[in-house]
Amino acid sequence: MAADTYRSISKSYQSEHKASGSKYYGYLFPIESADAFDLKIKEFKNEFADATHVCSGCVIGVDREYQRFSDDGEPSNSSGRPILHALLSAEVSYIGCAVVRYYGGKKLGIPGLIESYGGTAQLCIEDADIKKLVLKESILCVVRSDMAYHLYNFLARKKEVTYTTDDTGQFTLVCSKSVTSELQKELQNIPTLVVL
């Protein structure tokens, strides 16, 4: 794969699993950062405040370099790690998964927990539309209005760059991460343009 492509999802998915009276609800969702993942898990813990556990895992980075999981009070490595393993096995990134457990009165043991948490995450993954995505970056810039035609002409030749403008004349250019530095160099040739 190219340096800025990765496999992920563009919307959230859910699954449900039952084992020995316990109910497991899986939630698979796209994320951009560790902070975004933390916020999402906090939302789940608030939404499911009556649940026994909200275990989770996430993978971030084109090369899946950031990996994290939480057992949320379950025995060590019995819940969060199987969720993370399911994500890594699917070779996905910029993705998080939370599994909410409502205890059903019967203990499952470590193997049962691993199977239930990992299996619930796997059900989400099997249901998900996993796509090859491109890591994008934005460049903010302004140009004097009487010189804007230089930028428009430049952008007309750059099919890999999309852009928007706002009512203050600020441009937001969006391109794949791999071409960002080259694009910034080329923008320096446009009269009066300032990268913010």
Side-chain angles (χ1 to χ4, degrees):
M1 276 200 268
D4 54 3
T5 61
Y6 61 98
R7 288 167 32 92
S8 194
I9 55 176
S10 50
K11 66 173 193 161
S12 297
Y13 294 88
Q14 295 179 19
S15 68
E16 189 176 323
H17 173 74
K18 293 178 184 172
S20 300
S22 286
K23 290 182 182 175
Y24 298 85
Y25 299 96
Y27 298 90
L28 189 70
F29 49 91
I31 50 165
E32 294 180 3
S33 66
D35 289 341
F37 176 71
D38 290 340
L39 283 173
K40 194 78 174 158
I41 297 306
K42 217 175 263 184
E43 287 173 18
F44 283 123
K45 287 191 174 195
N46 287 335
E47 184 179 346
F48 301 103
D50 59 337
T52 318
H53 303 280
V54 179
C55 302
S56 59
C58 75
V59 180
I60 302 170
V62 172
D63 296 319
R64 299 187 292 281
E65 58 271 12
Y66 183 87
Q67 303 169 12
R68 198 169 91 210
F69 67 87
S70 167
D71 294 314
D72 192 39
E74 290 281 31
S76 183
N77 295 321
S78 68
S79 47
R81 187 173 290 281
I83 294 168
L84 177 62
H85 178 73
L87 297 175
L88 292 172
S89 295
E91 298 181 345
V92 291
S93 192
Y94 291 99
I95 197 164
C97 182
V99 177
V100 177
R101 180 187 186 193
Y102 286 92
Y103 183 60
K106 185 176 177 190
K107 295 196 174 195
L108 299 176
I110 302 289
L113 291 172
I114 290 171
E115 185 179 320
S116 294
Y117 280 102
T120 304
Q122 188 60 41
L123 288 171
C124 282
I125 292 166
E126 287 169 6
D127 190 39
D129 181 15
I130 297 172
K131 301 175 182 176
K132 187 173 165 183
L133 301 174
V134 177
L135 190 60
K136 303 273 189 181
E137 282 193 336
S138 297
I139 300 171
L140 301 177
C141 58
V142 291
V143 65
R144 220 171 61 204
S145 59
D146 61 329
M147 294 292 184
Y149 71 94
H150 288 289
L151 180 56
Y152 283 116
N153 288 341
F154 172 78
L155 292 171
R157 294 189 305 273
K158 295 285 183 185
K159 301 298 181 204
E160 71 277 15
V161 180
T162 59
Y163 69 92
T164 57
T165 59
D166 65 18
D167 51 9
T168 67
Q170 180 174 294
F171 285 77
T172 303
L173 313 181
V174 179
C175 61
S176 61
K177 188 175 181 178
S178 61
V179 301
T180 304
S181 61
E182 184 61 34
L183 182 64
Q184 286 178 321
K185 284 179 196 166
E186 292 179 42
L187 288 171
Q188 292 173 3
N189 298 324
I190 296 174
T192 74
L193 184 137
V194 177
V195 175
L196 304 174

